[in-house]
């Protein structure tokens, strides 16, 4: 979709807007998909928080009672003149006879303090999740850089259309793999083994970059050997992290799942913010100064992979906490 005025000169090329803004179409398409996902989740995603579900039921019941009273006595005043009312309005305990505080305290366990959640198992899970998010985001950044950089500068020299086709096929294949096979792998091998395999495949993924560069430089073009390595690299990268399972498993109870998930998202956001800057800067510096022949970035990241692989040894061999109970 990039540069539609150049790619389709007989149709969209006649529209000056697409010539002035050649990347508007892919950007608005991606943004539209995100907005449609938001609308779908907002209207059709069911609430799962027990206290919120209970409050919704209480409000619905109170509304039905008020509606029946209004039908039976249409001329009755909204407030009983014989009753002394000190407070009224939209407060839940006055309008419906219950309070949010009463429901959450009497029916549901209160969320524990944040510091009390930081157990050894949770910290280990968060650290492993951070390692994976950093490496996954680094791969996401380095892949288009590698594909678009010219062969003489250590890349493969693909044009934007070829890069889009490669990324699109990889994304669809990855989604199909997660939907069809990943759950079965978790049940067959266990989450710890699957997680460690995903880390070992990171070595293959990042090690494939310099190998493809050397082969492309030696032949002067992207031959069948480079395509084979690229296909193998992207196929093995379909293994996703399951460190999230260990994080949720470390939650002390259902009331802590929201806070634990929030810590996980915070770790992911921070690491995924740093990874693009670090990976792309290392790539540029390595190529510009020819550090390790331009391949220093891959050596550094493989070192991080090995550190993450050692950290994965601290994970429990099987789920034994919150997820095991449920």
């Amino acid at each position: 979709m990039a540069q539609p005025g150049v790619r389709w000169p007989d149709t969209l090329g006649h529209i000056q807007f697409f010539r002035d803004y050649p990347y508007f179409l892919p950007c608005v398409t991606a943004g539209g998909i995100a907005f449609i996902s938001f609308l779908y989740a907002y209207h059709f995603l069911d609430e799962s928080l027990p206290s919120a579900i209970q409050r919704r039921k209480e409000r619905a019941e109170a509304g039905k009672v008020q509606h029946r009273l209004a039908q039976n006595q249409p001329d009755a005043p909204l407030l009983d003149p014989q009753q002394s009312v000190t407070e009224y309005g939209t407060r839940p305990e006055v309008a419906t006879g219950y309070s949010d505080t009463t429901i959450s305290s009497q029916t549901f366990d209160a969320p524990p303090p944040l510091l009390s959640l930081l157990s050894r198992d949770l910290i280990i899970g968060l650290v492993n999740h951070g390692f994976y998010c950093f490496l996954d985001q680094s791969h996401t950044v380095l892949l288009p850089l590698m594909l678009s950089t010219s062969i003489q500068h250590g890349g493969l020299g693909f044009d934007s259309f070829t890069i889009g086709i490669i990324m699109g096929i990889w994304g669809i294949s990855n989604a199909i793999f997660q939907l069809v096979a990943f759950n079965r792998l978790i049940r067959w091998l266990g989450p710890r083994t699957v997680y460690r395999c995903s880390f070992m495949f990171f070595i293959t993924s990042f090690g494939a970059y310099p190998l493809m560069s050397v082969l492309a430089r030696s032949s002067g073009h992207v031959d069948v050997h480079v395509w084979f390595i690229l296909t193998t690299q992207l196929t093995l990268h379909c293994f996703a992290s399951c460190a999230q399972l260990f994080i949720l498993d470390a939650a002390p109870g259902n009331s802590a799942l929201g806070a634990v998930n929030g810590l996980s998202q915070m770790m992911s956001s921070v690491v995924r913010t740093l990874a693009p800057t670090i990976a792309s800067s290392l790539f540029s510096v390595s190529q510009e100064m020819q550090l390790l022949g331009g391949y220093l970035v891959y050596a550094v990241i493989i070192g991080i992979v090995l550190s993450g692989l050692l950290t994965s040894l601290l994970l429990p061999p099987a789920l034994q906490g919150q997820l095991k109970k449920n």
Side-chain angles (χ1 to χ4, degrees):
M1 293 185 181
Q3 298 180 337
V6 177
R7 190 171 303 279
W8 299 288
D10 297 333
T11 54
L12 298 181
H14 296 297
I15 303 176
Q16 186 62 35
F17 179 83
F18 290 119
R19 291 186 174 274
D20 295 337
Y21 302 96
Y23 296 101
F24 172 80
L25 193 58
C27 290
V28 74
T29 301
I33 293 174
F35 185 68
I36 291 173
S37 301
F38 161 74
L39 291 179
Y40 180 85
Y42 182 81
H43 289 287
F44 301 107
L45 189 63
D46 293 333
E47 178 60 70
S48 59
L49 184 64
S51 58
I53 296 174
Q54 182 68 18
R55 283 193 294 267
R56 182 180 300 174
K57 291 180 179 179
E58 293 283 351
R59 292 191 181 104
E61 290 297 328
K64 292 178 181 179
V65 171
Q66 293 176 354
H67 180 69
R68 287 195 297 267
L69 290 175
Q71 286 182 332
N72 294 334
Q73 298 177 348
D75 298 329
L78 294 179
L79 295 177
D80 187 356
Q82 304 298 326
Q83 181 181 4
S84 176
V85 179
T86 57
E87 294 185 49
Y88 60 90
T90 58
R91 290 187 58 187
E93 60 268 34
V94 176
T96 62
Y98 74 95
S99 66
D100 294 349
T101 305
T102 303
I103 290 176
S104 60
S105 62
Q106 293 183 357
T107 309
F108 305 101
D109 296 332
L114 186 61
L115 292 180
S116 66
L117 300 177
L118 298 179
S119 62
R120 179 180 181 274
D121 290 339
L122 179 60
I123 293 175
I124 291 174
L126 289 172
V127 171
N128 277 275
H129 185 55
F131 267 110
Y132 184 89
C133 290
F134 180 88
L135 295 170
D136 181 65
Q137 190 66 32
S138 297
H139 176 75
T140 303
V141 170
L142 290 176
L143 181 60
L145 285 176
M146 179 69 180
L147 297 179
S148 61
T149 303
S150 61
I151 293 177
Q152 58 267 29
H153 289 100
L156 300 181
F158 290 140
D159 56 29
S160 59
F161 180 76
T162 304
I163 295 174
I165 293 296
I166 293 173
M167 300 287 286
I169 294 176
W170 174 46
I172 294 173
S173 302
N174 195 358
I176 294 175
F177 176 82
Q178 303 302 323
L179 182 64
V180 175
F182 191 67
N183 183 48
R184 298 179 181 179
L185 284 175
I186 291 288
R187 295 181 180 276
W188 178 37
L189 299 175
R192 184 188 183 189
T193 301
V194 172
Y195 177 79
R196 297 190 66 192
C197 286
S198 67
F199 247 85
M200 288 187 286
F201 290 148
F202 267 133
I203 299 177
T204 305
S205 297
F206 290 108
Y209 287 121
L211 182 58
M212 288 189 292
S213 176
V214 170
L215 292 176
R217 282 179 173 177
S218 62
S219 61
H221 65 283
V222 177
D223 56 13
V224 64
H225 301 95
V226 176
W227 277 109
F228 175 78
I229 295 174
L230 178 61
T231 303
T232 303
Q233 177 200 45
L234 297 181
T235 300
L236 294 179
H237 194 70
C238 287
F239 273 74
S241 171
C242 52
Q244 187 78 13
L245 297 178
F246 292 98
I247 294 174
L248 296 178
D249 190 58
N254 288 331
S255 60
L257 289 176
V260 168
N261 190 61
L263 289 173
S264 173
Q265 294 300 317
M266 181 190 69
M267 172 66 76
S268 175
S269 299
V270 171
V271 172
R272 291 183 184 276
T273 301
L274 299 175
T277 302
I278 296 174
S280 59
S281 299
L282 278 174
F283 182 86
S284 301
V285 171
S286 300
Q287 293 297 325
E288 182 178 354
M289 303 183 66
Q290 284 298 297
L291 301 175
L292 286 181
Y295 303 132
L296 176 65
V297 55
Y298 307 120
V300 172
I301 293 182
I302 289 177
I304 297 175
V305 174
L306 295 176
S307 300
L309 191 59
L310 291 176
T311 306
S312 68
L313 296 176
L314 300 175
L315 291 170
L319 300 178
Q320 53 193 359
Q322 183 64 24
L323 293 182
K324 190 69 174 179
K325 295 175 184 176
N326 293 335

